[in-house]
Amino acid sequence: MTLEITRRTLIGGLGAAALAAPAILHGQMLFNAYPFRLGVASGDPTPDGFVLWTRLAPDPLADGGGVPMAPIGVDWAVASDPGFKAVVQKGTAIARPELAHSVHVEVTGLLPDRPYWYRFMVGRDRTLLGRTRTLPLPGANVRALKFAVAGCQNYEDGLFTAFRHMAAEDVDFVFHYGDYIYEDRWRPKDPGHDGRPRPTVRPHIGDKPFSTDDYRRRYAQYKLDGDLQAAHAAAPWWTTFDDHEVEDNWVGLEDKYDTPAAVFRLRRAAAFQAWYEHSPVRAGMIPGPTGIAMHRRARYGTLLDAHFLDTRQYRTNQPCDDDFKPDCPAVTDPKAQVLGTEQEAWLARSLGGKRARWNCLAQQVMMMRLDRRTGDTVVPIRNMDSWAGYMTPRERLLERCRGLGNVVVLTGDEHQNFAGELATAKGETVAVEFVGTSISAGGDGGDVRRDAAEVRSHNPQLKFSNDQRGYLICSVTPDRWETRFRVMDRVTVAGEVSTRAVATVEHGVAGVVMG
Ligand SMILES: [Fe+2]
């Protein structure tokens, strides 16, 4: 008689151990190089904790990061002092191959509104110390808050020295408005906004990303940057995404190449997975079949409610075939959406609550309806990828802000600094918007673009514009919001930072004063 070995008899013979989860590896000999080359990060704080992030990647640009394809135990610890004498929490997290051996530890049980320091360890290897901070209790009487606003870090266009300067600003948190990576492949650059050539300061590795491994490699290249690592290690981040984490100007399930939705969904899923793997966010943001539940709120005591919005996933397609165009009828489409019905209702409930002294809408694309026309053009030109292309939901949101006197909108995407005011269709000013420039996208830039005076002349609501790179520092007290525009002299070489302008908003007055 022949013995027929089937899968069932084989498994039966091997016993239950063969069916158990793969063994978790620990210890010294797993890597042939330092495994924490992508640094550490923290984010999404609560009054009793935060998320701690790292990723094992001794060979970050290789598929798999140079890590054995097995779950690996990563020890972590949190201390209440920078000398790491008083360890208050510690544990072991599992870095899983499914998630590129990234680690997202959701620490709880800590005290509110204070700094903590953390690190990760595997065998003898340990990370540098990161510094983070818990939220105040929801009802705490917070008298001052200081935070940074940054994004749009095109690796090819410049160095991330702005992040190094930002790390030294001693902020309570960082709001990142997206474009953490750029999906372009290396190519000769078009001229910049002033007609000057934009040199490729350091090229992207690899072609345009489509697979999860492609996107992972792009994140790894960016996260190897020491300046970016310093900014993560200095403060907790509230991370969002915009378009370039996936593809230029995507919305919903549409890209600009008319790729079938069912096909683009696959690419978006690959990009979202890599975004999650490299962001210090909670497990609730692991991408699912419908995308990522990204919008969320942070309450800084009674001082500030920060609403982190998602202006990509639920948006209807750009009107007028996108780009900078004259208005077409679709701009006033009554069915158009920017936030989608669910997120918009969530935001309306939050704004209606009036709990905090200030409401901050931390989001991606510009809400000011700027007329971009220059030269001989006789009709207004709008950015159809901004809220200006979506007049119906824009007006609904501005109407919600009416009478609050405490709404400040924070935006990215434009690669310019702007400060201005937001008015309803009836002409009532209801909120202030600060647009942060870019860490590097667009290259060195200059104080103002060639067309700046013309754009200002068509847009009385616009109080300030500037075309240098950098970030915003917002200092908020119960009666006053101050935004400092921190700008870099150069980004094609390691540059210096300075304050180009200071804008202030008095509580109860929906207007901005430039100083
Ligand atoms: Fe950007």
Side-chain angles (χ1 to χ4, degrees):
M1 160 180 182
T2 26
L3 182 65
E4 189 181 3
I5 298 179
T6 63
R7 186 168 176 274
R8 180 169 302 187
T9 54
L10 178 65
I11 289 172
L14 289 172
L19 290 173
I24 297 166
L25 305 182
H26 294 268
Q28 316 272 349
M29 307 302 289
L30 297 174
F31 314 112
N32 55 14
Y34 182 62
F36 296 113
R37 294 180 61 197
L38 302 182
V40 298
S42 72
D44 281 36
T46 59
D48 78 335
F50 31 69
V51 177
L52 301 180
W53 175 94
T54 193
R55 182 187 158 199
L56 299 175
D59 188 2
L61 300 173
D63 281 356
V67 180
M69 281 294 128
I72 296 175
V74 180
D75 299 325
W76 58 270
V78 174
S80 58
D81 64 306
F84 227 76
K85 298 280 190 297
V87 171
V88 292
Q89 292 266 356
K90 61 181 179 178
T92 302
I94 300 172
R96 298 183 186 280
E98 291 90 338
L99 294 173
H101 291 101
S102 61
V103 174
H104 299 74
V105 181
E106 300 191 16
V107 182
T108 59
L110 302 176
L111 296 170
D113 198 17
R114 67 199 60 201
Y116 286 97
W117 288 262
Y118 63 94
R119 69 179 167 213
F120 293 91
M121 296 140 285
V122 168
R124 289 199 199 98
D125 292 315
R126 58 174 54 170
T127 63
L128 297 176
L129 286 190
R131 180 182 183 277
T132 188
R133 191 174 182 89
T134 48
L135 279 188
L137 289 169
N141 183 17
V142 177
R143 306 306 294 171
L145 192 64
K146 179 180 170 189
F147 64 93
V149 180
C152 291
Q153 52 215 49
N154 190 323
Y155 192 89
E156 295 194 330
D157 282 359
L159 305 180
F160 293 169
T161 324
F163 273 134
R164 175 74 57 179
H165 294 296
M166 201 179 88
E169 300 263 9
D170 193 22
V171 293
D172 294 306
F173 70 91
V174 174
F175 162 53
H176 193 281
Y177 49 72
D179 290 359
Y180 192 99
I181 57 163
Y182 279 75
E183 85 291 359
D184 283 351
R185 64 175 181 179
W186 181 88
R187 56 186 163 76
K189 290 292 186 190
D190 300 329
H193 299 288
D194 282 339
R196 292 188 297 241
R198 285 163 64 196
T200 296
V201 175
R202 38 185 191 168
H204 283 147
I205 295 166
D207 210 325
K208 199 173 218 197
F210 285 86
S211 72
T212 309
D213 276 337
D214 296 342
Y215 283 105
R216 285 168 172 160
R217 185 179 302 108
R218 189 58 55 87
Y219 277 97
Q221 183 180 13
Y222 277 56
K223 290 187 83 77
L224 279 165
D225 185 280
D227 297 332
L228 175 58
Q229 289 189 15
H232 274 298
W237 286 33
W238 290 99
T239 305
T240 68
F241 53 75
D242 194 15
D243 53 335
H244 288 287
E245 282 85 354
V246 183
E247 168 63 64
D248 180 40
N249 280 19
W250 71 276
V251 291
L253 288 173
E254 307 196 49
D255 68 10
K256 63 183 180 184
Y257 309 111
D258 295 327
T259 305
V263 177
F264 179 66
R265 183 195 293 275
L266 299 175
R267 184 181 182 201
R268 198 186 76 163
F272 277 2
Q273 179 170 342
W275 176 84
Y276 171 77
E277 290 168 350
H278 295 85
S279 299
V281 296
R282 292 181 182 274
M285 273 185 266
I286 291 179
T290 58
I292 297 179
M294 189 260 269
H295 62 278
R296 55 212 195 273
R297 186 182 67 204
R299 173 157 290 162
Y300 283 86
T302 56
L303 183 62
L304 176 82
D305 272 354
H307 313 270
F308 302 100
L309 306 183
D310 176 345
T311 56
R312 288 282 162 197
Q313 269 190 107
Y314 315 109
R315 198 182 340 160
T316 49
N317 203 4
Q318 290 96 342
C320 325
D321 204 21
D322 204 359
D323 216 341
F324 286 55
K325 298 265 180 67
D327 284 340
C328 67
V331 164
T332 53
D333 181 353
K335 293 201 182 74
Q337 296 281 353
V338 173
L339 302 177
T341 49
E342 195 178 310
Q343 183 181 192
E344 191 175 319
W346 164 85
L347 180 59
R349 285 194 300 276
S350 281
L351 289 175
K354 288 192 185 176
R355 290 194 185 91
R357 187 78 173 156
W358 294 93
N359 274 296
C360 167
L361 307 186
Q363 50 105 52
Q364 294 80 32
V365 292
M366 187 144 75
M367 213 171 279
M368 273 186 282
R369 185 174 177 243
L370 290 192
D371 176 356
R372 316 292 187 111
R373 98 180 88 152
T374 57
D376 299 332
T377 311
V378 293
V379 293
I381 301 292
R382 318 278 184 200
N383 178 1
M384 295 302 164
D385 186 50
S386 74
W387 285 82
Y390 299 80
M391 291 304 287
T392 307
R394 180 180 182 275
E395 191 62 20
R396 273 201 307 268
L397 180 53
L398 294 178
E399 278 294 324
R400 299 237 178 250
C401 298
R402 196 155 58 87
L404 295 179
N406 70 357
V407 179
V408 174
V409 179
L410 299 173
T411 303
D413 184 57
E414 293 283 343
H415 306 173
Q416 289 189 77
N417 284 307
F418 291 120
E421 294 166 355
L422 291 160
T424 63
K426 293 182 188 128
E428 186 180 346
T429 300
V430 295
V432 166
E433 182 171 25
F434 296 119
V435 180
T437 178
S438 57
I439 290 293
S440 60
D444 283 335
D447 185 47
V448 289
R449 291 188 185 176
R450 283 180 301 191
D451 57 8
E454 227 178 331
V455 171
R456 288 286 296 279
S457 74
H458 292 303
N459 295 283
Q461 77 276 36
L462 183 61
K463 308 301 181 190
F464 172 70
S465 64
N466 162 269
D467 188 30
Q468 286 164 281
R469 311 286 73 83
Y471 53 89
L472 308 180
I473 294 289
C474 299
S475 300
V476 184
T477 64
D479 295 328
R480 195 161 177 268
W481 180 303
E482 179 188 281
T483 296
R484 279 182 293 141
F485 290 87
R486 302 283 278 158
V487 300
M488 299 292 297
D489 55 353
R490 305 275 302 275
V491 293
T492 49
V493 296
E496 292 302 321
V497 74
S498 62
T499 298
R500 172 63 186 81
V502 182
T504 55
V505 186
E506 299 298 327
H507 185 267
V509 183
V512 61
V513 177
M514 298 305 301

